[in-house]
Amino acid sequence: MKTKTVYFCSNCGHESPKWLGKCPNCGEWNTFVEERVAAKAAKGEKRRGLVASSKPVRLSEIESQDEARMRLPSKELNRVLGGGLVMGSLTLIGGEPGIGKSTLLLQNILSIRNKTILYVSGEESATQLKLRADRLGKVADNTFILCETSLESIFTQIENVEPGLIVIDSIQTIASNEIESAAGSVSQVRECAVSLLRYAKESGVPVILVGHINKDGAIAGPKVLEHIVDTVLQFEGDRQYLYRILRAIKNRFGSTNEIGIYEMVEKGLKEVINPSEMLLSENRDEEMSGITIGVTTEGVRPFLVEIQALVSTAAYGTPQRSVTGFDQRRLNMLLAVLEKRARFRLGQKDVFLNIAGGLKIQDPAIDLAVVAAVMSSNFDVSIPRTTAFIGEVGLSGEIRTVTRIDQRVAEAQKLGFKRVFVPKGNLKGIKDTFSIEIIEVGKVEECFRRLFE
């Protein structure tokens, strides 16, 4: 078969006959890589589509129907997928090395009894997967392990096994013999993904791909890979902590606002049904200063997090600003607001801030909890553990309204909190529906007066 040399943009997959410094499609610089690919089909040779050829149909004549779904054993995974795995869909799950992607998939497929499953591994041997399955404490006779990296050989075994679910771990290790470039290259990843998508659509068998990520946290390979698949899931977390978050980046069959939370234990990943209880520390005999509770949301799911702050006199002249799990630039902005608007002198003091549980929070609605924790530590006055804070702090010191305020307050009430600070006017019309004490504040100074009076 004839081959030719082309250049691909490693960011978006744009093809060019010559090297370009700047990609005309995505605008990125120095992203073109040289690869050898198979020449285009000769004239008259039919090009195969994703599904069998069909004729155009009027949109009004198409009957809408619910997508058939496969319910997986993990309730959290089903929630993120929008109710289960859609038949004939192509799902991509990415995450850092060692975060638990393979463990999550393996412990799910080993619990499925009514379907034949083919697990294709391009990175681990069959013995390694057997050891992992034994550690998970599950053995399934309907799960077949295939250690293979050739796309053509994989399709041969698919015809022999006729599985009801296919897992490819990982897509960057699979290569097609029709393309001369190495596995993991732009053209290989694109060709293998398109072939698997074509099979999924024609057969109705769902396919799950595991993807590597690059140093920036994005899924490695061409950006076109994320456009090809139906669903993109991101498995996040810090290996130093026990907790993992599964979120949907793209979902053609459901919402991208749902998240799933898991805890890494000895026998795999355990679902966290109530994340608020997980993220709050144990009950202490004595209350401590610098600790507050904020109510945040991930997608449509509200939960409470513990904010820990420590303010001390700068020992080395230059004050330190150390942050874990929160945006450091936003902390600097909040400290400037306290200096300018509330007349608190923090310029010569060290400020340390930590979000308990290892989470990374970007929700501005925890601003009020952050400034309350800072001032609690600064005055060395504890805040009752039954008090929660909701609100965004503006540059003029005002407490701005936030979204999903009713769900946030309901979550605090459900967990037994006695009072909650909220932005003034945010609960207009529905304030009387809650039994928890609601304190409305419009300025940072007003909040401190009500808090420390």
Side-chain angles (χ1 to χ4, degrees):
M1 180 180 291
K2 294 183 178 180
T3 61
K4 65 175 183 177
T5 299
V6 297
Y7 295 86
F8 288 101
C9 173
S10 58
N11 184 57
C12 67
H14 181 75
E15 180 181 337
S16 172
K18 62 180 181 179
W19 187 87
L20 299 173
K22 182 180 180 180
C23 176
N25 187 44
C26 64
E28 294 292 327
W29 287 88
N30 300 322
T31 55
F32 276 88
V33 292
E34 179 183 1
E35 293 182 8
R36 295 179 64 84
V37 299
K40 293 183 178 179
K43 187 176 181 181
E45 184 177 340
K46 291 184 178 180
R47 178 179 293 272
R48 191 180 181 194
L50 290 180
V51 295
S53 59
S54 59
K55 59 181 182 180
V57 181
R58 295 181 187 274
L59 181 61
S60 58
E61 297 175 357
I62 300 175
E63 295 182 2
S64 60
Q65 56 185 4
D66 294 334
E67 298 284 349
R69 294 180 182 266
M70 178 193 300
R71 299 287 295 180
L72 298 173
S74 173
K75 294 181 180 179
E76 295 290 292
L77 183 54
N78 285 328
R79 177 192 289 115
V80 176
L81 288 171
L85 199 60
V86 175
M87 304 303 293
S89 64
L90 187 62
T91 302
L92 174 66
I93 176 171
E96 293 182 0
I99 203 68
K101 304 183 296 297
S102 301
T103 301
L104 174 66
L105 294 176
L106 197 59
Q107 73 180 30
N108 267 274
I109 65 176
L110 290 177
S111 300
I112 299 175
R113 305 297 182 187
N114 58 348
K115 289 186 179 294
T116 301
I117 300 165
L118 180 62
Y119 188 99
V120 181
S121 175
E123 300 174 343
E124 295 180 280
S125 65
T127 305
Q128 289 175 308
L129 290 170
K130 172 61 176 175
L131 291 173
R132 180 178 294 177
D134 292 341
R135 191 181 77 244
L136 296 174
K138 298 179 181 179
V139 178
D141 294 332
N142 60 327
T143 300
F144 293 84
I145 302 297
L146 174 64
C147 299
E148 182 60 72
T149 57
S150 170
L151 183 65
E152 287 73 21
S153 299
I154 291 173
F155 276 119
T156 300
Q157 298 303 324
I158 288 175
E159 292 178 0
N160 296 333
V161 176
E162 296 183 353
L165 172 63
I166 301 172
V167 177
I168 307 292
D169 187 6
S170 64
I171 185 61
Q172 279 84 8
T173 62
I174 308 302
S176 172
N177 297 331
E178 296 182 357
I179 299 178
E180 293 187 359
S181 57
S185 62
V186 174
S187 55
Q188 284 285 10
V189 170
R190 181 172 59 178
E191 176 64 25
C192 294
V194 169
S195 299
L196 291 166
L197 176 66
R198 181 185 300 121
Y199 169 79
K201 298 302 180 185
E202 291 181 347
S203 65
V205 175
V207 179
I208 300 177
L209 308 178
V210 176
H212 297 163
I213 66 170
N214 55 29
K215 62 182 181 180
D216 297 325
I219 295 177
K223 197 69 176 178
V224 70
L225 175 62
E226 298 182 38
H227 292 288
I228 292 173
V229 301
D230 297 309
T231 305
V232 180
L233 305 181
Q234 190 83 7
F235 207 32
E236 304 172 351
D238 193 326
R239 282 181 292 175
Q240 306 302 321
Y241 292 94
L242 299 176
Y243 309 119
R244 308 285 190 268
I245 293 180
L246 181 69
R247 69 176 76 246
I249 307 299
K250 169 189 175 182
N251 192 354
R252 288 175 177 162
F253 308 109
S255 171
T256 57
N257 292 328
E258 292 285 0
I259 67 164
I261 301 181
Y262 294 87
E263 179 183 1
M264 181 62 78
V265 295
E266 184 179 357
K267 291 188 176 182
L269 291 163
K270 176 184 175 183
E271 297 181 3
V272 177
I273 305 301
N274 193 336
S276 296
E277 293 182 352
M278 173 197 76
L279 296 170
L280 300 181
S281 297
E282 308 82 12
N283 293 327
R284 301 184 178 91
D285 294 334
E286 59 179 353
E287 295 180 342
M288 303 175 65
S289 63
I291 297 178
T292 58
I293 306 299
V295 188
T296 184
T297 60
E298 282 285 350
V300 297
R301 193 173 187 177
F303 54 87
L304 281 72
V305 294
E306 182 177 295
I307 315 294
Q308 301 173 348
L310 177 63
V311 179
S312 61
T313 304
Y316 302 104
T318 304
Q320 301 181 62
R321 301 287 187 263
S322 180
V323 181
T324 303
F326 192 70
D327 187 1
Q328 183 162 356
R329 290 173 298 182
R330 191 162 189 87
L331 175 63
N332 292 335
M333 182 201 77
L334 295 175
L335 295 179
V337 170
L338 291 177
E339 286 264 2
K340 178 74 173 180
R341 306 299 180 186
R343 301 291 189 268
F344 293 119
R345 302 304 175 192
L346 301 171
Q348 298 302 316
K349 293 188 177 182
D350 295 334
V351 179
F352 303 91
L353 188 72
N354 176 52
I355 307 295
L359 287 181
K360 294 179 175 61
I361 305 295
Q362 297 182 349
D363 185 6
I366 67 168
D367 285 355
L368 191 58
V370 169
V371 297
V374 169
M375 297 317 302
S376 171
S377 178
N378 183 50
F379 296 141
D380 198 19
V381 176
S382 63
I383 295 176
R385 299 280 295 171
T386 55
T387 300
F389 297 87
I390 307 170
E392 177 185 355
V393 177
L395 289 178
S396 62
E398 82 278 13
I399 310 299
R400 300 175 57 86
T401 58
V402 299
T403 59
R404 303 187 185 278
I405 184 67
D406 53 336
Q407 298 178 18
R408 298 175 195 259
V409 175
E411 181 73 10
Q413 178 178 297
K414 184 178 70 174
L415 291 177
F417 281 73
K418 303 300 182 184
R419 62 175 182 169
V420 57
F421 285 77
V422 301
K424 183 173 294 184
N426 209 168
L427 280 172
K428 186 179 297 182
I430 58 174
K431 181 179 178 180
D432 296 335
T433 60
F434 299 101
S435 59
I436 187 174
E437 181 187 358
I438 296 175
I439 303 175
E440 295 184 302
V441 289
K443 291 281 188 179
V444 171
E445 315 92 276
E446 182 183 353
C447 175
F448 294 148
R449 285 197 303 269
R450 300 290 299 273
L451 192 60
F452 299 116
E453 60 184 3

